[in-house]
Amino acid sequence: MKIVVIGATGTIGGAVAGLLATGHEVVPASRRGPVRVDLTDAASIDALFAAVPDVDAVVCCAASGSLSPLDTPSDADYWRGLDGKLVGQVTLARRAAAHLRAGGSVTLTSGRFTAPTPGSTLGHLVNAGLEAFVRAAAPEMPRGIRLNAISPGWVRETCLALGMDGTAGIPAADLARAYADTIEGTAHGHVITP
Ligand SMILES: NC(=O)c1ccc[n+]([C@@H]2O[C@H](COP(=O)([O-])OP(=O)(O)OC[C@H]3O[C@@H](n4cnc5c(N)ncnc54)[C@H](OP(=O)(O)O)[C@@H]3O)[C@@H](O)[C@H]2O)c1
């Protein structure tokens, strides 16, 4: 399969791209390349599909935004994470529906918090919205194109990079297996929680 991996330079995306490359043609994409796309810019998603034809699958492991405390003074700053992670991934799925090969797949990334961590309100909202979108949009996907989301908990490498205990986190390589299984399998309209 020809698979576009958005966020391929990141912690999760790097592991996903590496695993998929063992059996597929992988096109790595992000804001800084090698193939350029910015999820906050719908025109750049259009440009991606124009530049990379005959794609079988697109997987999005891109990160955008950060924790937004509930008392963030500026509304614009509070809502910033909405653009890349929620609106961007929904736009990606809508564009992919028109451009992917028949029988292809779209795999998005949400996430889960174990508790209402301070600053995580927008993250909870975005993840819940994405997961609801995937379940509701799946039946509307045309030409046998499948739509799913992976909802990771903490990733071990991210915990270690943040100076946290990594033992509770899932290794990126194990998480990548869940993405590959979803892309290579038959799941449709599912939120997978590895
Ligand atoms: N790591 C965790 O513990 C964890 C847990 C649960 C959920 N998640 C979710 O998993 C996703 C990936 O997380 P990660 O930790 O792997 O992130 P990461 O290591 O920070 O990597 C982010 C990747 O996304 C790209 N990117 C960022 N903004 C982008 C944009 N607007 N358009 C296109 N590409 C963009 C980056 O490359 P450029 O800078 O070149 O664009 C990079 O390749 C995020 O949605 C995150 O919320 C992560």
Side-chain angles (χ1 to χ4, degrees):
M1 282 189 272
K2 185 172 181 178
I3 305 174
V4 174
V5 179
I6 300 179
T9 54
T11 307
I12 297 174
V16 170
L19 178 60
L20 290 173
T22 60
H24 304 281
E25 177 188 353
V26 168
V27 180
S30 71
R31 290 171 302 184
R32 287 171 287 184
V35 173
R36 301 279 173 109
V37 66
D38 183 347
L39 287 175
T40 65
D41 176 6
S44 84
I45 300 175
D46 290 331
L48 170 72
F49 284 115
V52 185
D54 302 326
V55 173
D56 295 290
V58 60
V59 49
C60 183
C61 314
S64 251
S66 56
L67 295 178
S68 300
L70 195 59
D71 61 357
T72 299
S74 149
D75 285 332
D77 287 343
Y78 179 78
W79 288 112
R80 203 172 303 283
L82 206 64
D83 289 347
K85 189 157 177 179
L86 180 60
V87 179
Q89 291 198 93
V90 169
T91 303
L92 177 69
R94 281 163 40 79
R95 297 298 197 274
H99 288 283
L100 292 191
R101 280 178 168 155
S105 72
V106 183
T107 307
L108 307 181
T109 298
S110 57
R112 45 183 212 281
F113 295 95
T114 47
T117 316
S120 69
T121 55
L122 187 66
H124 277 87
L125 184 65
V126 163
N127 291 335
L130 266 175
E131 294 175 7
F133 169 78
V134 163
R135 293 188 179 101
E140 294 191 40
M141 294 297 279
R143 300 179 293 111
I145 295 172
R146 297 179 298 108
L147 173 64
N148 297 289
I150 307 291
S151 180
W154 279 107
V155 174
R156 180 165 300 170
E157 287 81 351
T158 303
C159 292
L160 294 174
L162 294 174
M164 296 160 50
D165 175 15
T167 53
I170 182 172
D174 293 354
L175 181 55
R177 189 69 258 163
Y179 282 86
D181 288 348
T182 303
I183 293 163
E184 294 165 351
T186 58
H188 183 40
H190 291 200
V191 174
I192 293 108
T193 54

